[in-house]
Amino acid sequence: MKALVSVKRVVDYNVRIQVKSDGSGVVTDGVKHSMNPFDEIAMEEAVRLKEKGKITEIVAVTIGGDKSEETLRTALAFGADRAIHIKEGGEVQPLTAAKAFAAVLKKEGAQLFIAGKQAIDDDANQTGQMVAALLDIAQATFASKVEVDGNKAVVTREVDAGLETIEVDLPAVITTDLRLNEPRYLKLPDIMKAKKKPIDATTFADLGVTPGAGFKVTKTAPPPTRSKGIVVKTVDELVAALKAKGLL
Amino acid sequence: MSVERDVMEYDVVVVGAGPAGLAAACRLKQKAAEAGKELNVCVVEKGSEVGAHILSGAVFEPRALNELFPDWKARGAPLNVPVAGDEIYFFRSPEAAFKMPNVFVPKTMHNEGNYVISLGNLCRWLAKQAEDLGVEIYPGFAAQHAIVEDGIVKGVQIGDMGINREGEHKDDFAPGMELRAKYTLFAEGCRGHLGKQLIAQYQLDKDADPQHYAIGIKEIWTVPPEQHKPGLVVHGAGWPLNLLGTDALGGSFLYHFENSQVVVGLIVDLSYTNPYLSPFDEFQRFKHHPVIRKHLEGGTRVSYGARAIVKGGLNSLPKLAFPGGVLIGDDAGMLNFAKIKGSHTAMKSGMLAAEAVAEAIFAGDEGGKVLNGYADKFKASWLHDELYRSRNFGVFLHKFGSLIGGAINYVEQNWFGGKFPFTVHDLKPDYKTLKLASESQKIEYPKPDGKLSFDKLSSVFLSSTNHEEDQPVHLQLKDPSIPIGKNLPLYAEPAQRYCPAGVYEVVGDEGAKPSEKRFQINAQNCVHCKTCDIKDPAQNINWVAPEGGGGPNYANM
């Protein structure tokens, strides 16, 4: 059984995000990028399933410009057997990404599509669900535990009320939540081996996908900075200050 | 605890992906191509990516780059901002300064033909060139120690990952690999932790003056486009440090870079004497000087970082080669202090070492020898000549202060071409210069205004530094009782102040008995500047490499 895992190159989580002065987006030039942390969890889960003998092949897929190859190499170092690079620079909206992943999934005949629940750059949390809808297959989102048995998967989901356990028929989409696993340290020999693993390049056109623009980003702004507090000396002053703010 | 380690064999392993290490790696591959032979070259880098731990001014002199890649422009090297103007100020007070007429500027401080760059971005570009030449580069892996067998350096061992604070293996424990090589090039930068051990082990510095250091603190600002003058270079000496005295020396820089960015920094010599001095706070108040303020006002600070600088120059240079390995770049101390530039000298030293290594291996050398060819090439190079001419520069400043020492330097550099018929020496190591707290005056620093000046923690935040929390503390105390038992009563524990990242704290109420106080090490904040390893008066702090990938994540530094 084959699993397809999508990985995305995003600004590293340690980097303090800065908004461009013209509000057209965030600064990405010269900024450290790495694999979306939720996708690392997806990769780790796929590798564990393979180690348990539940799946036999892991294919990593990404959409992005040349630099996204680094992210695929990371996936290959985790333990993906091969990778597919959908070479498309520029903005890719969730629906476009989902159409492309759905096309790859179909072509590969993979039984499992494992993806991070969302990418930490746009926090959209849509792609996995859309892939399931486009292919009319089951979805198990926000997974914190995954067990694959034959052509079924039992998935524990993190929902507002607690944990929900569902069983889905394969093929299915699973999106990973934070508590699913702790991704391993990449070993130097694995990174070396990853350099030699195959990456196939493709494009939206090859996959028969027409990129769409379902929405337009009109403005990016940093959160408001906290204004300075004032020091009050007495309770009376405090009460007066609160009253002045209309809080009492 | 014995663990099985994977081993990889290379012809050459380079420790550190900075200008020296990457230039060496490129040169090795170029030499191999010229000779029609193969050389396997591997570079390991403790930063999470190439450039993540690189911090420099930087005004870059392209001499070495011209030699390494004469077609660097066509290859898209990030040298985009030629120096368009040189200004030098003597700061006399918080308000006053005088601009030095150009004719009195030492020749070494002229910058025509140089570029304002981000050294981090240059290293990222160099890494790309190296990879295209077939070099394997592995960021996120820290060389933990040199593998020494029978007195010969055989390579390095990468640090283990997944060890908890108590030193036990966690579930995700991954043993570090051994990278073995015929020759290992140590290019860790100033005060490299392996370089320090090797210098001691092979007594490489026994004929050299003590090494001297400074700490450089730097910020990147985005300023309103109308006040941005790409290529303007401003250097200064004096306030908030000494102009006439020699208790606190150093200099400042402010460069207009690309994309409406201005970089500003203060370099404080670690020979300072007052234990109450805080380089961080000196820098924060420095930005309020009218000469500096006018460049920054209305802008936002986008990045912050700090790094120790090696400045002893030729007099302090250790022996460069030992069995199986060499020191290159600032791991040896190649910086030219008269120019306050170390990037072109680092690159050149790496290239010279690479040439010596390649020639030896192609002549059938199996490795493990003392590569005297490197030292010979160094002595015959423009690099040696340049460092020779600058050998007295820092010493004059240390002995006579910025103004008088600067005047002597003007005479030596401009009238004697850097060749006074004598050499002056500075024999007191920086950790020995502190006066007792009881003999020193406390310094009251102004509160940061949140516009031009900031507190330490919000600054460290902008370095994007991070370390896995559950790992052994990488700032090791040889004797844990010294900070509270000795450094506190004698020097008011200066680590609290010289550390630019708030790593060291003495916790306990003011006026509490020493027995009620505690020395706290916030290792997660560390920006890998190495100042503590250098300045601790008891030489009690040993900086070792934390888990690979930890540390700052500098962009455009």
Side-chain angles (χ1 to χ4, degrees):
Chain A
M1 185 160 61
K2 194 189 282 185
L4 185 70
V5 181
S6 67
V7 293
K8 186 177 185 183
R9 180 176 185 267
V10 298
V11 173
D12 188 80
Y13 68 95
N14 286 312
V15 171
R16 189 175 155 270
I17 300 294
Q18 274 150 10
V19 174
K20 284 185 190 162
S21 48
D22 62 0
S24 65
V26 302
V27 176
T28 55
D29 281 352
V31 169
K32 192 197 165 199
H33 285 69
S34 52
M35 183 188 287
N36 173 36
F38 291 110
D39 298 345
E40 285 190 347
I41 295 172
M43 267 315 306
E44 175 67 30
E45 197 61 20
V47 174
R48 288 186 189 186
L49 286 172
K50 194 179 168 196
E51 284 168 352
K52 282 185 217 152
K54 302 291 183 184
I55 55 174
T56 50
E57 190 186 14
I58 302 169
V59 181
V61 60
T62 196
I63 305 173
D66 289 341
K67 287 197 169 155
S68 292
E69 187 182 323
E70 287 167 21
T71 313
L72 286 179
R73 293 287 169 206
T74 306
L76 292 166
F78 260 108
D81 296 284
R82 58 193 176 83
I84 297 168
H85 188 174
I86 305 171
K87 283 204 172 178
E88 300 285 349
E91 188 204 8
V92 177
Q93 294 194 356
L95 185 56
T96 308
K99 282 179 181 166
F101 292 148
V104 174
L105 195 67
K106 228 170 161 177
K107 207 167 140 191
E108 291 285 334
Q111 292 293 96
L112 267 176
F113 178 67
I114 311 178
K117 67 170 181 177
Q118 67 200 63
I120 61 166
D121 52 359
D122 58 13
D123 280 338
N125 186 336
Q126 297 172 17
T127 305
Q129 293 88 328
M130 286 174 172
V131 171
L134 287 166
L135 295 173
D136 195 21
I137 57 176
Q139 57 174 294
T141 51
F142 311 109
S144 66
K145 193 175 174 205
V146 174
E147 274 172 281
V148 174
D149 196 8
N151 56 357
K152 285 189 190 311
V154 178
V155 177
T156 303
R157 306 180 59 232
E158 300 214 357
V159 292
D160 284 351
L163 298 174
E164 177 190 74
T165 303
I166 61 169
E167 185 184 274
V168 291
D169 290 328
L170 302 187
V173 171
I174 296 173
T175 73
T176 59
D177 214 324
L178 201 58
R179 269 181 283 262
L180 178 58
N181 61 49
E182 241 181 76
R184 66 196 60 198
Y185 288 104
L186 296 182
K187 293 192 181 118
L188 200 43
D190 293 335
I191 295 174
M192 291 173 180
K193 274 183 226 149
K195 293 199 173 189
K196 297 195 176 79
K197 289 185 184 176
I199 296 180
D200 293 323
T202 183
T203 60
F204 286 152
D206 290 347
L207 297 166
V209 172
T210 318
F215 61 85
K216 200 172 96 192
V217 177
T218 53
K219 197 182 158 201
T220 307
T225 48
R226 222 181 108 206
S227 53
K228 247 193 180 154
I230 54 164
V231 178
V232 291
K233 291 203 181 74
T234 63
V235 175
D236 290 343
E237 260 184 67
L238 174 65
V239 172
L242 289 173
K243 272 188 181 153
K245 284 195 173 290
L247 295 170
L248 273 183
Chain B
M1 252 180 304
S2 116
V3 287
E4 204 163 301
R5 299 184 186 281
D6 289 310
V7 178
M8 277 291 287
E9 306 253 0
Y10 289 90
D11 291 312
V12 185
V13 165
V14 181
V15 181
L22 292 169
C26 290
R27 198 85 187 109
L28 282 162
K29 283 291 188 180
Q30 289 176 342
K31 292 297 278 184
E34 274 170 32
K37 297 195 172 158
E38 278 287 314
L39 271 182
N40 299 318
V41 183
C42 170
V43 181
V44 285
E45 161 59 42
K46 70 179 162 59
S48 62
E49 62 166 8
V50 174
H53 289 184
I54 297 288
L55 182 146
S56 183
V59 173
F60 181 72
E61 182 178 317
R63 189 169 186 179
L65 181 62
N66 288 338
E67 292 178 8
L68 186 63
F69 292 111
D71 57 342
W72 55 261
K73 217 164 236 168
R75 289 168 180 261
L79 274 60
N80 304 324
V81 186
V83 172
D86 251 328
E87 294 179 2
I88 296 189
Y89 288 90
F90 278 122
F91 295 103
R92 287 187 298 176
S93 74
E95 295 294 332
F98 62 90
K99 191 169 162 183
M100 194 153 57
N102 215 23
V103 290
F104 292 125
V105 174
K107 268 185 194 164
T108 54
M109 296 290 295
H110 287 269
N111 281 305
E112 305 93 343
N114 296 337
Y115 295 81
V116 179
I117 66 157
S118 149
L119 187 62
N121 290 349
L122 181 68
C123 287
R124 288 181 180 97
W125 175 85
L126 275 173
K128 173 81 176 51
Q129 308 310 308
E131 285 191 312
D132 287 351
L133 288 165
V135 175
E136 294 177 31
I137 303 179
Y138 298 108
F141 292 93
Q144 191 75 56
H145 53 78
I147 302 169
V148 183
E149 290 166 356
D150 303 324
I152 298 169
V153 173
K154 301 273 187 167
V156 290
Q157 189 214 300
I158 302 301
D160 296 334
M161 311 281 258
I163 293 181
N164 71 13
R165 217 175 166 83
E166 282 70 44
E168 298 150 350
H169 293 186
K170 293 190 278 189
D171 290 345
D172 55 2
F173 173 74
M177 203 174 172
E178 282 188 0
L179 300 174
R180 288 174 174 262
K182 290 178 180 148
Y183 286 103
T184 308
L185 275 45
F186 293 87
E188 307 161 280
C190 170
R191 194 76 166 193
H193 81 289
L194 300 183
K196 175 180 147 184
Q197 289 168 26
L198 293 164
I199 289 170
Q201 182 170 351
Y202 293 103
Q203 298 184 322
L204 302 175
D205 60 349
K206 72 172 192 299
D207 300 325
D209 289 356
Q211 190 55 274
H212 293 284
Y213 303 90
I215 175 176
I217 305 178
K218 173 182 168 182
E219 292 177 354
I220 305 177
W221 285 65
T222 303
V223 301
E226 60 276 11
Q227 83 197 42
H228 186 236
K229 301 172 192 137
L232 177 64
V233 165
V234 183
H235 285 114
W239 186 88
L241 307 171
N242 298 155
L243 201 49
L244 285 164
T246 57
D247 286 341
L249 291 164
S252 59
F253 61 90
L254 182 144
Y255 309 143
H256 284 249
F257 189 42
E258 56 201 0
N259 300 327
S260 294
Q261 288 191 334
V262 171
V263 302
V264 57
L266 184 70
I267 296 170
V268 180
D269 287 11
L270 289 177
S271 60
Y272 71 81
T273 59
N274 185 342
Y276 290 109
L277 186 141
S278 160
F280 172 84
D281 293 292
E282 297 293 352
F283 173 49
Q284 295 306 319
R285 70 169 163 185
F286 164 71
K287 287 180 288 175
H288 286 270
H289 196 286
V291 167
I292 297 303
R293 193 168 62 202
K294 69 170 189 218
H295 294 276
L296 304 176
E297 261 172 350
T300 24
R301 186 174 70 144
V302 295
S303 192
Y304 168 88
R307 183 72 174 93
I309 298 165
V310 58
K311 50 179 276 271
L314 197 63
N315 298 348
S316 305
L317 206 62
K319 272 199 192 127
L320 301 175
F322 43 89
V326 297
L327 299 172
I328 58 177
D330 282 353
D331 220 350
M334 292 289 179
L335 183 130
N336 179 346
F337 193 61
K339 292 183 176 176
I340 4 171
K341 287 184 188 63
S343 302
H344 68 294
T345 52
M347 287 178 70
K348 181 65 180 176
S349 69
M351 290 155 65
L352 293 169
E355 285 160 19
V357 169
E359 281 164 23
I361 292 178
F362 295 153
D365 186 342
E366 288 297 310
K369 312 246 173 18
V370 179
L371 264 187
N372 289 319
Y374 167 39
D376 296 343
K377 282 176 190 293
F378 167 66
K379 284 204 187 87
S381 70
W382 57 255
L383 171 56
H384 184 273
D385 181 57
E386 194 181 309
L387 294 181
Y388 178 78
R389 289 167 193 261
S390 305
R391 73 203 183 287
N392 289 331
F393 198 96
V395 189
F396 282 136
L397 296 179
H398 271 198
K399 289 193 190 292
F400 303 108
S402 292
L403 201 58
I404 312 291
I408 301 172
N409 279 330
Y410 168 77
V411 172
E412 177 169 23
Q413 297 303 323
N414 292 34
W415 298 356
F416 288 80
K419 294 195 172 177
F420 272 172
F422 57 88
T423 300
V424 284
H425 296 274
D426 182 358
L427 299 175
K428 200 177 202 182
D430 294 339
Y431 66 86
K432 280 192 178 159
T433 57
L434 284 182
K435 290 182 181 151
L436 294 174
S438 56
E439 296 164 8
S440 307
Q441 197 166 8
K442 272 196 183 178
I443 305 175
E444 291 293 338
Y445 289 105
K447 268 211 160 83
D449 70 350
K451 291 190 184 97
L452 282 171
S453 47
F454 304 90
D455 64 31
K456 227 182 230 184
L457 282 183
S458 67
S459 301
V460 178
F461 179 58
L462 289 183
S463 72
S464 302
T465 190
N466 190 38
H467 294 85
E468 159 65 43
E469 209 165 334
D470 192 12
Q471 65 169 309
V473 173
H474 72 278
L475 302 144
Q476 300 175 342
L477 300 177
K478 287 175 207 158
D479 176 351
S481 74
I482 283 181
I484 298 297
K486 286 197 176 138
N487 281 354
L488 188 61
L490 294 178
Y491 303 106
E493 186 44 273
Q496 305 171 77
R497 292 172 294 274
Y498 60 61
C499 173
V503 169
Y504 302 100
E505 282 182 273
V506 173
V507 188
D509 294 334
E510 192 130 343
K513 278 180 255 156
S515 59
E516 288 159 5
K517 294 200 172 176
R518 192 165 58 80
F519 189 61
Q520 182 169 305
I521 301 179
N522 307 309
Q524 255 198 312
N525 281 3
C526 178
V527 295
H528 297 204
C529 77
K530 318 279 175 79
T531 303
C532 51
D533 194 288
I534 297 164
K535 187 63 176 170
D536 178 37
Q539 287 293 281
N540 185 48
I541 301 175
N542 190 33
W543 193 101
V544 300
E547 201 166 82
N553 285 289
Y554 295 139
N556 304 317
M557 277 290 201

